[in-house]
Amino acid sequence: MRVVSIGLVFAVLGLSAASTPSFASGCRQLLESDVKIASMRLYADMLANAARRGWNYAPEWIVSGSKRHFDELKLRLIDDGYEIVPVGRPLQCDIEG
């Protein structure tokens, strides 16, 4: 499950180890804003699938679920060795490269 989730994040972000110079050089940093966008897209897909099945959620459940999805995604990425860099702080890979 974790491999699929991380793979989906990279697909949404448009990243791959072969095509991204920072990953090719061993950099494992991601901007928090990029992770947030990926999380929102994945969560929206989940909600769309649920709606197709006739499931409806209260707006406050959607908001709390979105936050929880983002937090869990960040933790999975960190657990897999990635550093989530806050907005405004430059990626070290960009500075060194």
Side-chain angles (χ1 to χ4, degrees), residues 51-63:
R52 281 191 280 278
R53 293 184 184 109
W55 302 344
N56 294 312
Y57 297 100
E60 60 271 10
W61 290 8
I62 293 172
V63 171

Side-chain angles (χ1 to χ4, degrees), residues 7-82:
L8 285 174
V9 170
F10 289 132
V12 170
L13 289 173
L15 302 174
S16 74
S19 66
T20 305
S22 59
F23 284 155
S25 65
C27 183
R28 296 182 60 91
Q29 293 181 323
L30 298 170
L31 282 175
E32 186 175 39
S33 58
D34 290 340
V35 175
K36 179 70 171 181
I37 291 167
S39 173
M40 290 171 67
R41 288 179 178 166
L42 292 170
Y43 191 67
D45 287 344
M46 291 168 47
L47 288 175
N49 286 333
R52 281 191 280 278
R53 293 184 184 109
W55 302 344
N56 294 312
Y57 297 100
E60 60 271 10
W61 290 8
I62 293 172
V63 171
S64 68
S66 176
K67 181 183 177 344
R68 186 175 56 253
H69 186 271
F70 173 62
D71 291 340
E72 290 175 2
L73 179 60
K74 280 192 339 182
L75 290 174
R76 278 184 276 167
L77 288 166
I78 291 168
D79 188 46
D80 284 344
Y82 291 90

